[in-house]
Amino acid sequence: MSSHNPYLAHHFDDIVQQRESVSLGMWIFLLTEIMFFGGIFFSYTVYRHLYPEMFHEMSHHLDVTLGTFNTAVLLTSSLTMALAVNAAQRGLHRRLVSMLSITCLAGVGFLVVKFFEYKHKFHVGSVPGPLWNFENEFGDKAQLFYSLYFGATGLHGFHVLIGVVLLAIFAVKAQRGEFPKERAQRVEMLGLYWHFVDLVWIYVFPLFYLIGRY
């Protein structure tokens, strides 16, 4: 009688089936996430077509330096996340902990920069709604741009926050030795989520920060 694999859940026939099911579930989840952002990107496309001059002008009021810095931070975090996945697959315990921790810190850094960006928007009154007090040549119509800006960056920032929390939890668990090679797929799935978050920003950054500059 063969012994039961401790890493195999009881409702799966074998490890291969378990891995395929987990991967499929994660990709389906990411597909639903794409639909969230897809609605915002579709609205952006429609309103940019209707008000191209306004969108070009409003993009100049965003801090491209901070946006570029955050882009570099997330791209670097994608590298460290990939290294974390590689470490998990190879059973490199210390490297896994280090890479997860660095990726987590990069996510925190991104959120800190975004906090100061938002703080400036509140200061100048470019927050749509009752707090709107932003003098510009397009008047209240400019709230369309900032509504989409806060919608896209806010939703993305929320996903980054979730990723940071998960990275912190995984780093603690990795420190406790809870991710042997046989459980590397858990880190792989977290890596897929984090790469998705990074990929979304690659679209958000040029659409809002660069459209009126080049």
Side-chain angles (χ1 to χ4, degrees):
M1 181 177 179
S2 60
S3 59
H4 176 71
N5 189 327
Y7 302 110
L8 176 65
H10 71 277
H11 48 283
F12 294 111
D13 294 332
D14 52 48
I15 288 293
V16 174
Q17 184 189 58
Q18 178 172 282
R19 287 184 58 84
E20 291 177 349
S21 298
V22 170
S23 296
L24 177 61
M26 188 62 187
W27 282 110
I28 293 175
F29 167 73
L30 293 180
L31 181 61
T32 65
E33 293 295 292
I34 290 173
M35 290 190 286
F36 274 114
F37 288 98
I40 294 178
F41 290 146
F42 177 77
S43 299
Y44 171 93
T45 302
V46 171
Y47 284 114
R48 182 183 174 186
H49 176 73
L50 293 174
Y51 309 104
E53 293 182 0
M54 180 187 73
F55 272 61
H56 286 194
E57 178 61 29
M58 290 302 103
S59 72
H60 286 280
H61 295 281
L62 300 182
D63 195 323
V64 70
T65 301
L66 292 181
T68 301
F69 176 80
N70 261 353
T71 301
V73 168
L74 282 189
L75 289 176
T76 301
S77 74
S78 273
L79 172 62
T80 56
M81 188 70 242
L83 292 174
V85 171
N86 178 263
Q89 293 170 339
R90 298 170 60 188
L92 303 177
H93 171 77
R94 294 181 62 182
R95 181 179 297 180
L96 173 60
V97 175
S98 299
M99 292 301 103
L100 287 174
S101 299
I102 293 173
T103 307
C104 181
L105 290 175
V108 171
F110 178 92
L111 292 174
V112 169
V113 171
K114 185 56 62 180
F115 167 79
F116 284 106
E117 279 195 84
Y118 278 10
K119 182 179 179 181
H120 179 260
K121 299 296 180 294
F122 278 90
H123 177 72
V124 300
S126 58
V127 179
L131 298 177
W132 179 261
N133 187 31
F134 185 55
E135 294 185 5
N136 67 93
E137 61 181 295
F138 300 97
D140 290 344
K141 191 182 295 182
Q143 291 187 72
L144 282 172
F145 175 86
Y146 282 101
S147 294
L148 290 169
Y149 165 78
F150 278 103
T153 59
L155 184 60
H156 175 263
F158 179 68
H159 281 74
V160 173
L161 177 61
I162 292 174
V164 166
V165 172
L166 290 174
L167 284 163
I169 293 173
F170 271 54
V172 171
K173 287 180 174 292
Q175 182 64 45
R176 295 173 179 171
E178 296 184 23
F179 294 122
K181 287 194 295 184
E182 293 80 4
R183 286 182 172 170
Q185 189 182 24
R186 297 187 180 187
V187 182
E188 293 171 19
M189 296 304 101
L190 177 59
L192 279 178
Y193 174 83
W194 192 254
H195 292 317
F196 166 78
V197 170
D198 293 351
L199 181 62
V200 169
W201 180 254
I202 296 302
Y203 283 93
V204 170
F205 174 61
L207 288 179
F208 288 94
Y209 289 78
L210 303 180
I211 56 172
R213 300 174 188 272
Y214 303 101

